[in-house]
Amino acid sequence: MTIFSPIDDRSPIILTVPGLGGSGPSHWQTLWEQSRPDTHRVELGMWDTPHRNAWVTKLDQAIRSAQAPVVLAAHSVGCLAVAWWATLAGQTFGTPVAGALLVAPADVDRDSAPAELHAFRPTPASPLPFPSVLVASSDDPWINIERAEDLARGWGSLFVDAGPQGHLNAASGIGWWEEGQSLFDRLLDTAAASSGGVRTTAEARSLLAVHATDAAQTHYLGTAATTGIQKTINSAQADW
């Protein structure tokens, strides 16, 4: 068995994809890795000076080494690595990556983006070949909420506005981030059928629209937020 062996032959492998600087001991990605035996970090290397091609290659190696369908949990620039992998890998829908949670993607195209992120320009705009949920904060210093919603629309992701929670990292004080865990569990339910097979495009995305919206309404209450989520779902479904 390798560290990527599934808990059983139907369980997906969860790979976390950190952003610039990696994720420290109090980051939700680290806490998930410590608390879930099915969760492992992709060691991308060069955490402080990321290189797009190197990161995409490392991510591809981790995905190809897994012995089960893969579900990704990415943060910040890690979301860009996932988008670039999807652009370059040419996978069919749902195989080998069966889904992704994309949290607080960094806007690498903005004029004020740090030079370390320029290698990830331009941000890929093509729909991702797997179901995905993009979660963004309304006061994230790395991306404004409108830009995050644009990314969700381009990637075909369901969009969740988490309210004012900064960069949704350790500094946000969210700890284990129960709300994100709930969304992620809904994504896992969507990613693979009970038989262990990957769902069809239509089935997966239809279920995700229901599952993610229900989880978002549970944790991020408010008529305006719910309406915004549903509008994005409707828009994304039109593209699917």
Side-chain angles (χ1 to χ4, degrees):
M1 294 177 63
T2 72
I3 63 168
F4 295 124
S5 297
I7 295 174
D8 60 52
D9 59 7
R10 295 179 298 177
S11 299
I13 293 297
I14 300 167
L15 298 180
T16 62
V17 188
L20 187 68
S23 295
S26 300
H27 195 284
W28 58 267
Q29 287 180 314
T30 305
L31 298 177
W32 290 11
E33 293 158 12
Q34 293 171 347
S35 63
R36 300 183 63 132
D38 56 356
T39 303
H40 313 281
R41 175 170 302 193
V42 180
E43 293 297 339
L44 299 172
M46 300 185 294
W47 292 113
D48 296 322
T49 55
H51 187 276
R52 187 196 72 190
N53 291 350
W55 273 28
V56 170
T57 298
K58 290 283 190 180
L59 179 57
D60 185 69
Q61 290 171 345
I63 290 169
R64 306 294 175 185
S65 297
Q67 299 178 7
V70 170
V71 180
L72 304 170
H75 180 258
S76 193
V77 186
C79 299
L80 276 295
V82 170
W84 273 110
W85 178 86
T87 298
L88 299 172
Q91 79 159 43
T92 56
F93 183 83
T95 306
V97 175
L101 179 68
L102 307 169
V103 181
D107 184 2
V108 299
D109 298 309
R110 72 189 192 281
D111 292 340
S112 59
E116 293 86 352
L117 307 187
H118 291 182
F120 292 86
R121 293 176 171 176
T123 298
S126 301
L128 302 175
F130 40 77
S132 58
V133 178
L134 191 155
V135 185
S137 165
S138 59
D139 62 352
D140 189 336
W142 290 79
I143 190 169
N144 65 55
I145 197 70
E146 293 80 14
R147 173 61 171 158
E149 190 168 3
D150 284 343
L151 290 184
R153 189 175 297 110
W155 292 343
S157 306
L158 299 184
F159 177 73
V160 175
D161 181 344
Q165 298 198 71
H167 196 42
L168 289 167
N169 56 6
S172 299
I174 56 178
W176 194 72
W177 194 32
E178 293 183 4
E179 296 89 348
Q181 189 69 244
S182 179
L183 281 171
F184 192 69
D185 285 340
R186 303 303 178 96
L187 179 64
L188 285 174
D189 289 342
T190 300
S194 58
S195 63
V198 175
R199 299 185 190 276
T200 66
T201 305
E203 181 184 21
R205 284 173 163 162
S206 177
L207 283 169
L208 183 57
V210 175
H211 289 167
T213 305
D214 179 58
Q217 288 177 353
T218 300
H219 295 289
Y220 302 114
L221 297 177
T223 302
T226 302
T227 301
I229 293 166
Q230 189 60 55
K231 284 173 60 181
T232 303
I233 288 172
N234 293 339
S235 174
Q237 285 178 328
D239 294 333
W240 296 339

Short mmCIF file of all heavy atoms in Angstrom, two decimals, residues 55-103:
data_model
loop_
_atom_site.label_atom_id
_atom_site.label_comp_id
_atom_site.label_asym_id
_atom_site.label_seq_id
_atom_site.Cartn_x
_atom_site.Cartn_y
_atom_site.Cartn_z
N TRP A 55 4.80 23.05 -10.46
CA TRP A 55 3.66 22.72 -9.62
C TRP A 55 2.69 21.81 -10.35
O TRP A 55 2.17 20.85 -9.78
CB TRP A 55 2.97 24.00 -9.15
CG TRP A 55 3.56 24.57 -7.89
CD1 TRP A 55 4.84 24.44 -7.47
CD2 TRP A 55 2.88 25.34 -6.91
NE1 TRP A 55 5.01 25.09 -6.27
CE2 TRP A 55 3.83 25.66 -5.91
CE3 TRP A 55 1.58 25.82 -6.78
CZ2 TRP A 55 3.50 26.41 -4.79
CZ3 TRP A 55 1.25 26.58 -5.67
CH2 TRP A 55 2.21 26.87 -4.68
N VAL A 56 2.40 22.11 -11.60
CA VAL A 56 1.46 21.29 -12.36
C VAL A 56 2.01 19.88 -12.53
O VAL A 56 1.28 18.88 -12.44
CB VAL A 56 1.16 21.93 -13.73
CG1 VAL A 56 0.39 20.97 -14.63
CG2 VAL A 56 0.36 23.22 -13.55
N THR A 57 3.32 19.76 -12.75
CA THR A 57 3.95 18.44 -12.88
C THR A 57 3.83 17.65 -11.59
O THR A 57 3.49 16.45 -11.60
CB THR A 57 5.43 18.58 -13.28
OG1 THR A 57 5.51 19.22 -14.56
CG2 THR A 57 6.11 17.22 -13.35
N LYS A 58 4.12 18.30 -10.45
CA LYS A 58 4.01 17.62 -9.15
C LYS A 58 2.57 17.20 -8.88
O LYS A 58 2.31 16.09 -8.37
CB LYS A 58 4.50 18.56 -8.03
CG LYS A 58 5.99 18.83 -8.04
CD LYS A 58 6.76 17.65 -7.48
CE LYS A 58 8.22 18.03 -7.26
NZ LYS A 58 9.00 16.90 -6.70
N LEU A 59 1.63 18.07 -9.21
CA LEU A 59 0.22 17.75 -9.01
C LEU A 59 -0.18 16.57 -9.88
O LEU A 59 -0.88 15.64 -9.44
CB LEU A 59 -0.64 18.97 -9.31
CG LEU A 59 -2.16 18.80 -9.18
CD1 LEU A 59 -2.55 18.32 -7.79
CD2 LEU A 59 -2.87 20.11 -9.53
N ASP A 60 0.27 16.57 -11.11
CA ASP A 60 -0.05 15.48 -12.03
C ASP A 60 0.51 14.15 -11.51
O ASP A 60 -0.17 13.12 -11.56
CB ASP A 60 0.52 15.79 -13.41
CG ASP A 60 0.12 14.75 -14.45
OD1 ASP A 60 -1.08 14.70 -14.80
OD2 ASP A 60 0.99 13.98 -14.90
N GLN A 61 1.73 14.19 -10.99
CA GLN A 61 2.34 12.97 -10.46
C GLN A 61 1.53 12.42 -9.29
O GLN A 61 1.32 11.20 -9.18
CB GLN A 61 3.78 13.25 -10.04
CG GLN A 61 4.73 13.51 -11.20
CD GLN A 61 6.10 13.99 -10.75
OE1 GLN A 61 6.29 14.41 -9.60
NE2 GLN A 61 7.06 13.95 -11.65
N ALA A 62 1.08 13.31 -8.41
CA ALA A 62 0.29 12.87 -7.25
C ALA A 62 -1.05 12.29 -7.70
O ALA A 62 -1.50 11.26 -7.17
CB ALA A 62 0.07 14.04 -6.30
N ILE A 63 -1.68 12.93 -8.67
CA ILE A 63 -2.97 12.45 -9.16
C ILE A 63 -2.81 11.09 -9.83
O ILE A 63 -3.59 10.16 -9.59
CB ILE A 63 -3.58 13.47 -10.14
CG1 ILE A 63 -4.01 14.73 -9.37
CG2 ILE A 63 -4.76 12.87 -10.89
CD1 ILE A 63 -4.39 15.90 -10.27
N ARG A 64 -1.77 10.95 -10.65
CA ARG A 64 -1.57 9.69 -11.37
C ARG A 64 -1.13 8.56 -10.44
O ARG A 64 -1.32 7.38 -10.77
CB ARG A 64 -0.51 9.87 -12.47
CG ARG A 64 -0.77 11.00 -13.43
CD ARG A 64 -1.99 10.79 -14.30
NE ARG A 64 -2.26 11.97 -15.12
CZ ARG A 64 -3.32 12.10 -15.92
NH1 ARG A 64 -4.22 11.12 -15.99
NH2 ARG A 64 -3.52 13.20 -16.62
N SER A 65 -0.55 8.91 -9.28
CA SER A 65 -0.09 7.89 -8.34
C SER A 65 -1.21 7.36 -7.46
O SER A 65 -1.06 6.32 -6.80
CB SER A 65 1.02 8.45 -7.44
OG SER A 65 2.15 8.82 -8.19
N ALA A 66 -2.31 8.08 -7.40
CA ALA A 66 -3.43 7.66 -6.55
C ALA A 66 -4.03 6.37 -7.09
O ALA A 66 -4.07 6.13 -8.29
CB ALA A 66 -4.48 8.76 -6.50
N GLN A 67 -4.53 5.55 -6.18
CA GLN A 67 -5.12 4.26 -6.55
C GLN A 67 -6.64 4.30 -6.46
O GLN A 67 -7.29 3.29 -6.20
CB GLN A 67 -4.55 3.16 -5.65
CG GLN A 67 -3.04 3.00 -5.79
CD GLN A 67 -2.49 1.94 -4.87
OE1 GLN A 67 -3.23 1.22 -4.21
NE2 GLN A 67 -1.17 1.84 -4.82
N ALA A 68 -7.19 5.47 -6.66
CA ALA A 68 -8.64 5.66 -6.57
C ALA A 68 -8.97 7.00 -7.22
O ALA A 68 -8.07 7.78 -7.53
CB ALA A 68 -9.08 5.66 -5.10
N PRO A 69 -10.25 7.29 -7.43
CA PRO A 69 -10.60 8.63 -7.90
C PRO A 69 -10.08 9.68 -6.93
O PRO A 69 -10.02 9.45 -5.71
CB PRO A 69 -12.14 8.60 -7.92
CG PRO A 69 -12.49 7.16 -8.06
CD PRO A 69 -11.43 6.41 -7.31
N VAL A 70 -9.69 10.83 -7.44
CA VAL A 70 -9.10 11.90 -6.64
C VAL A 70 -10.08 13.06 -6.52
O VAL A 70 -10.72 13.46 -7.49
CB VAL A 70 -7.79 12.40 -7.30
CG1 VAL A 70 -7.29 13.66 -6.63
CG2 VAL A 70 -6.73 11.30 -7.25
N VAL A 71 -10.19 13.59 -5.29
CA VAL A 71 -10.93 14.82 -5.05
C VAL A 71 -9.96 15.82 -4.44
O VAL A 71 -9.26 15.50 -3.48
CB VAL A 71 -12.14 14.59 -4.13
CG1 VAL A 71 -12.89 15.90 -3.90
CG2 VAL A 71 -13.09 13.54 -4.72
N LEU A 72 -9.89 17.01 -5.01
CA LEU A 72 -8.91 18.01 -4.62
C LEU A 72 -9.52 19.04 -3.67
O LEU A 72 -10.69 19.42 -3.81
CB LEU A 72 -8.37 18.72 -5.86
CG LEU A 72 -7.74 17.82 -6.93
CD1 LEU A 72 -7.46 18.61 -8.20
CD2 LEU A 72 -6.46 17.17 -6.41
N ALA A 73 -8.72 19.50 -2.72
CA ALA A 73 -9.10 20.60 -1.83
C ALA A 73 -7.99 21.64 -1.92
O ALA A 73 -6.94 21.50 -1.28
CB ALA A 73 -9.26 20.11 -0.40
N ALA A 74 -8.20 22.66 -2.74
CA ALA A 74 -7.16 23.63 -3.06
C ALA A 74 -7.43 24.98 -2.40
O ALA A 74 -8.58 25.36 -2.18
CB ALA A 74 -7.04 23.80 -4.58
N HIS A 75 -6.34 25.70 -2.13
CA HIS A 75 -6.46 27.03 -1.52
C HIS A 75 -5.57 28.02 -2.25
O HIS A 75 -4.44 27.69 -2.65
CB HIS A 75 -6.06 26.98 -0.04
CG HIS A 75 -6.16 28.31 0.65
ND1 HIS A 75 -5.06 29.10 0.93
CD2 HIS A 75 -7.24 29.00 1.10
CE1 HIS A 75 -5.46 30.21 1.54
NE2 HIS A 75 -6.78 30.17 1.64
N SER A 76 -6.08 29.22 -2.48
CA SER A 76 -5.32 30.35 -3.01
C SER A 76 -4.68 30.02 -4.36
O SER A 76 -5.36 29.61 -5.30
CB SER A 76 -4.30 30.80 -1.97
OG SER A 76 -3.74 32.04 -2.31
N VAL A 77 -3.35 30.14 -4.46
CA VAL A 77 -2.68 29.86 -5.73
C VAL A 77 -2.77 28.37 -6.07
O VAL A 77 -2.65 27.99 -7.24
CB VAL A 77 -1.21 30.31 -5.68
CG1 VAL A 77 -0.55 30.16 -7.04
CG2 VAL A 77 -1.12 31.76 -5.23
N GLY A 78 -3.02 27.54 -5.07
CA GLY A 78 -3.25 26.13 -5.35
C GLY A 78 -4.43 25.92 -6.29
O GLY A 78 -4.43 24.97 -7.08
N CYS A 79 -5.43 26.82 -6.21
CA CYS A 79 -6.56 26.73 -7.14
C CYS A 79 -6.12 26.97 -8.57
O CYS A 79 -6.64 26.35 -9.51
CB CYS A 79 -7.63 27.77 -6.75
SG CYS A 79 -8.34 27.55 -5.11
N LEU A 80 -5.14 27.87 -8.75
CA LEU A 80 -4.62 28.13 -10.09
C LEU A 80 -3.85 26.93 -10.61
O LEU A 80 -3.90 26.60 -11.81
CB LEU A 80 -3.73 29.37 -10.08
CG LEU A 80 -4.43 30.74 -10.20
CD1 LEU A 80 -5.11 30.88 -11.55
CD2 LEU A 80 -5.44 30.97 -9.09
N ALA A 81 -3.11 26.26 -9.71
CA ALA A 81 -2.41 25.04 -10.12
C ALA A 81 -3.40 23.99 -10.60
O ALA A 81 -3.16 23.31 -11.60
CB ALA A 81 -1.57 24.50 -8.96
N VAL A 82 -4.53 23.87 -9.91
CA VAL A 82 -5.56 22.92 -10.31
C VAL A 82 -6.13 23.31 -11.68
O VAL A 82 -6.31 22.46 -12.56
CB VAL A 82 -6.68 22.86 -9.26
CG1 VAL A 82 -7.88 22.08 -9.78
CG2 VAL A 82 -6.16 22.24 -7.97
N ALA A 83 -6.42 24.60 -11.87
CA ALA A 83 -6.99 25.05 -13.14
C ALA A 83 -6.02 24.81 -14.29
O ALA A 83 -6.42 24.41 -15.39
CB ALA A 83 -7.37 26.52 -13.04
N TRP A 84 -4.73 25.07 -14.04
CA TRP A 84 -3.74 24.84 -15.09
C TRP A 84 -3.57 23.35 -15.36
O TRP A 84 -3.41 22.93 -16.52
CB TRP A 84 -2.40 25.48 -14.72
CG TRP A 84 -2.31 26.91 -15.15
CD1 TRP A 84 -2.30 28.02 -14.36
CD2 TRP A 84 -2.22 27.38 -16.50
NE1 TRP A 84 -2.23 29.15 -15.13
CE2 TRP A 84 -2.17 28.79 -16.44
CE3 TRP A 84 -2.18 26.75 -17.74
CZ2 TRP A 84 -2.08 29.58 -17.59
CZ3 TRP A 84 -2.09 27.53 -18.89
CH2 TRP A 84 -2.04 28.93 -18.81
N TRP A 85 -3.62 22.52 -14.31
CA TRP A 85 -3.54 21.07 -14.52
C TRP A 85 -4.71 20.62 -15.40
O TRP A 85 -4.52 19.85 -16.35
CB TRP A 85 -3.57 20.31 -13.20
CG TRP A 85 -3.55 18.83 -13.41
CD1 TRP A 85 -2.45 18.04 -13.56
CD2 TRP A 85 -4.68 17.96 -13.56
NE1 TRP A 85 -2.83 16.73 -13.79
CE2 TRP A 85 -4.18 16.67 -13.80
CE3 TRP A 85 -6.06 18.16 -13.50
CZ2 TRP A 85 -5.03 15.57 -13.99
CZ3 TRP A 85 -6.90 17.07 -13.70
CH2 TRP A 85 -6.39 15.79 -13.94
N ALA A 86 -5.91 21.10 -15.09
CA ALA A 86 -7.09 20.72 -15.87
C ALA A 86 -6.95 21.16 -17.32
O ALA A 86 -7.37 20.45 -18.24
CB ALA A 86 -8.34 21.32 -15.25
N THR A 87 -6.35 22.33 -17.54
CA THR A 87 -6.16 22.84 -18.89
C THR A 87 -5.19 21.98 -19.69
O THR A 87 -5.39 21.74 -20.88
CB THR A 87 -5.65 24.29 -18.84
OG1 THR A 87 -6.63 25.11 -18.20
CG2 THR A 87 -5.36 24.83 -20.23
N LEU A 88 -4.14 21.51 -19.02
CA LEU A 88 -3.06 20.81 -19.71
C LEU A 88 -3.22 19.29 -19.73
O LEU A 88 -2.66 18.62 -20.60
CB LEU A 88 -1.72 21.17 -19.07
CG LEU A 88 -1.34 22.66 -19.12
CD1 LEU A 88 -0.09 22.91 -18.28
CD2 LEU A 88 -1.12 23.11 -20.55
N ALA A 89 -3.97 18.74 -18.79
CA ALA A 89 -4.02 17.28 -18.64
C ALA A 89 -4.92 16.61 -19.68
O ALA A 89 -4.68 15.47 -20.07
CB ALA A 89 -4.50 16.90 -17.25
N GLY A 90 -5.96 17.31 -20.10
CA GLY A 90 -6.85 16.74 -21.10
C GLY A 90 -7.64 15.54 -20.62
O GLY A 90 -7.93 14.62 -21.40
N GLN A 91 -8.04 15.51 -19.33
CA GLN A 91 -8.79 14.37 -18.83
C GLN A 91 -10.24 14.40 -19.32
O GLN A 91 -10.79 15.45 -19.62
CB GLN A 91 -8.76 14.32 -17.30
CG GLN A 91 -9.73 15.28 -16.59
CD GLN A 91 -10.03 14.83 -15.15
OE1 GLN A 91 -9.16 14.43 -14.41
NE2 GLN A 91 -11.29 14.92 -14.77
N THR A 92 -10.84 13.21 -19.40
CA THR A 92 -12.27 13.14 -19.66
C THR A 92 -12.99 13.50 -18.37
O THR A 92 -12.39 13.54 -17.29
CB THR A 92 -12.66 11.73 -20.10
OG1 THR A 92 -12.24 10.79 -19.10
CG2 THR A 92 -11.99 11.38 -21.42
N PHE A 93 -14.29 13.75 -18.46
CA PHE A 93 -15.01 14.23 -17.29
C PHE A 93 -14.96 13.23 -16.15
O PHE A 93 -15.32 12.07 -16.30
CB PHE A 93 -16.48 14.53 -17.63
CG PHE A 93 -17.23 15.10 -16.46
CD1 PHE A 93 -17.15 16.45 -16.17
CD2 PHE A 93 -17.97 14.29 -15.63
CE1 PHE A 93 -17.82 16.98 -15.08
CE2 PHE A 93 -18.64 14.80 -14.53
CZ PHE A 93 -18.56 16.15 -14.26
N GLY A 94 -14.48 13.70 -14.98
CA GLY A 94 -14.54 12.92 -13.76
C GLY A 94 -13.48 11.86 -13.56
O GLY A 94 -13.50 11.16 -12.54
N THR A 95 -12.53 11.72 -14.47
CA THR A 95 -11.49 10.69 -14.33
C THR A 95 -10.13 11.23 -14.80
O THR A 95 -10.04 11.69 -15.93
CB THR A 95 -11.82 9.45 -15.19
OG1 THR A 95 -13.14 8.99 -14.84
CG2 THR A 95 -10.83 8.34 -14.96
N PRO A 96 -9.09 11.21 -13.96
CA PRO A 96 -9.01 10.65 -12.60
C PRO A 96 -9.48 11.60 -11.49
O PRO A 96 -9.74 11.15 -10.39
CB PRO A 96 -7.52 10.36 -12.45
CG PRO A 96 -6.87 11.43 -13.27
CD PRO A 96 -7.76 11.63 -14.46
N VAL A 97 -9.57 12.91 -11.78
CA VAL A 97 -10.09 13.85 -10.77
C VAL A 97 -11.60 13.84 -10.84
O VAL A 97 -12.20 14.13 -11.88
CB VAL A 97 -9.53 15.26 -10.99
CG1 VAL A 97 -10.18 16.24 -10.01
CG2 VAL A 97 -8.01 15.27 -10.81
N ALA A 98 -12.23 13.52 -9.71
CA ALA A 98 -13.68 13.39 -9.67
C ALA A 98 -14.36 14.63 -9.11
O ALA A 98 -15.59 14.75 -9.16
CB ALA A 98 -14.07 12.18 -8.84
N GLY A 99 -13.58 15.60 -8.56
CA GLY A 99 -14.19 16.81 -8.01
C GLY A 99 -13.14 17.67 -7.35
O GLY A 99 -12.02 17.23 -7.09
N ALA A 100 -13.51 18.93 -7.08
CA ALA A 100 -12.56 19.85 -6.42
C ALA A 100 -13.30 20.91 -5.62
O ALA A 100 -14.32 21.44 -6.06
CB ALA A 100 -11.66 20.52 -7.46
N LEU A 101 -12.77 21.20 -4.44
CA LEU A 101 -13.18 22.34 -3.64
C LEU A 101 -12.10 23.40 -3.82
O LEU A 101 -10.93 23.17 -3.49
CB LEU A 101 -13.30 21.96 -2.16
CG LEU A 101 -13.72 23.08 -1.21
CD1 LEU A 101 -15.16 23.50 -1.47
CD2 LEU A 101 -13.55 22.65 0.25
N LEU A 102 -12.47 24.54 -4.35
CA LEU A 102 -11.53 25.61 -4.68
C LEU A 102 -11.81 26.79 -3.75
O LEU A 102 -12.86 27.43 -3.84
CB LEU A 102 -11.70 26.02 -6.14
CG LEU A 102 -11.61 24.86 -7.15
CD1 LEU A 102 -12.06 25.31 -8.53
CD2 LEU A 102 -10.20 24.29 -7.19
N VAL A 103 -10.88 27.05 -2.85
CA VAL A 103 -11.12 28.02 -1.78
C VAL A 103 -10.23 29.24 -1.94
O VAL A 103 -9.00 29.12 -2.05
CB VAL A 103 -10.86 27.36 -0.40
CG1 VAL A 103 -11.14 28.36 0.73
CG2 VAL A 103 -11.72 26.11 -0.24
#
